[in-house]
């Protein structure tokens, strides 16, 4: 695999950590920038740094704080100066760590915090990192003979199937469902704006399926075995999708859901 510069937002654990592991293991020349709120306390990322000292960089970034996003973008602009892939993967179910099961459990505070983390954060990330994506080298994606399909870089927002309005029957989880539905709309908007001009960026929302992670662990009892994916399986599927994205597929998140 070619190298490329990748930034994984919210990379301290779960699938986002596995993104870092997968890219470092499969793309020997890749440079990975992993962000999280407290890098010094992220033991798994610190251990990964020891394994890949020249390929992995840690940056402090709280996606709910615009000033920190801007500061991180300025650091990346200095070195390496561009991005080939941005993965917005930080997310939360709810500040209480459990989704609302009924309207009486909804609070303005819970809605605000969840939306700030899952929706506003990725959109503000796009605001500050889009100029660096437009300078990408095309390391993620093929060089197409058809100019209309070519792109410089890829922006991926991790979404969730429970954010689908059409595929909805159970109810509940107001904050999380709303945040992911709004994220899908933001991604569609981004695909239009960043698809203009000569330096195009593919934007897509990808659903990793249900995995055995901290976020979904309390809700796995009723998940069919064939719909419960290991982190490695989900990441392999997602990276296969990312590698084959082109401008014609940009914004078509509905066709790339897993499970």
């Amino acid at each position: 695999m070619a190298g490329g510069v990748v930034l994984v937002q919210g990379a301290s654990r779960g699938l986002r950590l596995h993104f870092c592991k997968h890219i470092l293991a499969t793309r020997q020349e890749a440079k990975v920038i992993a962000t999280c709120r407290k890098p010094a306390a992220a033991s798994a990322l610190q251990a990964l740094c020891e394994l890949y000292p020249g390929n992995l960089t840690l940056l402090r970034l709280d996606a709910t704080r615009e000033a920190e996003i801007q500061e991180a973008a300025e650091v990346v602009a200095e070195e390496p100066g561009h991005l080939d892939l941005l993965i917005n993967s930080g997310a939360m179910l709810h500040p209480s760590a459990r989704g609302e099961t009924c309207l009486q459990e909804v609070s303005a505070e819970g809605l605000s915090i969840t939306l700030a983390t899952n929706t506003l954060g990725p959109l503000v990330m796009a605001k500050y990192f889009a100029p660096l994506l437009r300078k990408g080298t095309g390391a993620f994606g093929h060089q197409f003979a058809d100019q209309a399909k070519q792109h410089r870089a890829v922006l991926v927002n991790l979404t969730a199937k429970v954010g689908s309005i059409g595929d909805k029957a159970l109810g509940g989880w107001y904050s999380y469902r709303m945040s992911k539905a709004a994220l899908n709309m933001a991604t569609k908007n981004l695909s239009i704006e960043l698809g203009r001009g000569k330096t195009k960026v593919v934007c897509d929302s990808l659903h990793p399926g249900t995995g055995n992670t901290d976020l979904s662990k309390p809700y796995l009892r009723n998940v069919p075995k064939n719909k419960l994916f290991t982190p490695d399986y989900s990441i392999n599927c997602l990276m296969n999708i990312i590698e084959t994205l082109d401008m014609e597929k940009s914004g078509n998140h509905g066709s790339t859901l897993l499970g």
Side-chain angles (χ1 to χ4, degrees):
M1 288 291 189
V5 179
V6 183
L7 190 148
V8 181
Q9 177 259 326
S12 60
R13 59 180 181 170
L15 285 178
R16 35 259 175 94
L17 176 63
H18 280 269
F19 266 119
C20 296
K21 291 179 177 179
H22 178 94
I23 293 166
L24 289 166
T26 59
R27 303 175 73 99
Q28 295 182 355
E29 298 179 5
K31 302 294 184 182
V32 176
I33 302 163
T35 77
C36 61
R37 295 178 178 179
K38 298 178 180 179
S43 57
L45 279 177
Q46 294 288 349
L48 207 56
C49 270
E50 294 181 6
L51 288 175
Y52 301 95
N55 300 84
L56 179 61
T57 302
L58 304 188
L59 281 182
R60 179 174 63 88
L61 190 156
D62 182 338
T64 66
R65 299 178 182 272
E66 185 168 356
E68 289 191 14
I69 296 175
Q70 182 177 8
E71 182 180 343
E74 290 171 353
V75 170
V76 178
E78 288 291 325
E79 178 63 37
H82 74 278
L83 279 181
D84 297 300
L85 173 61
L86 169 59
I87 302 173
N88 282 313
S89 53
M92 67 185 312
L93 180 60
H94 188 269
S96 67
R98 59 187 297 271
E100 308 99 327
T101 58
C102 64
L103 188 58
Q104 292 305 112
E105 295 178 357
V106 171
S107 69
E109 181 181 15
L111 285 165
S112 297
I113 294 174
T114 306
L115 284 163
T117 301
N118 296 356
T119 309
L120 307 186
L123 183 57
V124 178
M125 286 286 294
K127 171 185 174 180
Y128 287 100
F129 285 97
L132 298 174
L133 289 165
R134 287 194 181 277
K135 295 179 180 178
T137 65
F140 286 83
H142 306 282
Q143 293 301 312
F144 299 99
D146 184 351
Q147 186 70 27
K149 292 186 176 183
Q150 292 185 15
H151 58 274
R152 289 289 186 91
V154 177
L155 186 158
V156 167
N157 291 326
L158 283 197
T159 186
K161 193 174 182 180
V162 296
S164 169
I165 294 175
D167 185 10
K168 172 117 174 73
L170 294 177
W173 286 23
Y174 284 89
S175 300
Y176 188 70
R177 291 180 188 274
M178 289 169 63
S179 72
K180 292 301 186 179
L183 180 63
N184 291 342
M185 177 58 77
T187 307
K188 183 63 178 180
N189 266 22
L190 288 169
S191 72
I192 295 169
E193 181 169 353
L194 299 185
R196 297 175 180 142
K198 294 182 179 180
T199 54
K200 296 178 174 61
V201 178
V202 169
C203 303
D204 209 355
S205 293
L206 300 181
H207 167 49
T210 303
N212 191 8
T213 63
D214 291 341
L215 186 147
S216 57
K217 191 169 292 184
Y219 305 96
L220 298 182
R221 183 174 58 184
N222 296 321
V223 177
K225 289 185 178 180
N226 66 332
K227 295 294 184 179
L228 180 60
F229 305 137
T230 65
D232 285 341
Y233 176 80
S234 291
I235 295 301
N236 280 329
C237 290
L238 292 171
M239 289 306 302
N240 285 338
I241 292 170
I242 290 169
E243 294 283 358
T244 58
L245 288 173
D246 58 43
M247 289 310 303
E248 289 185 350
K249 298 174 183 176
S250 188
N252 295 330
H253 55 270
S255 63
T256 54
L257 298 179
L258 297 179

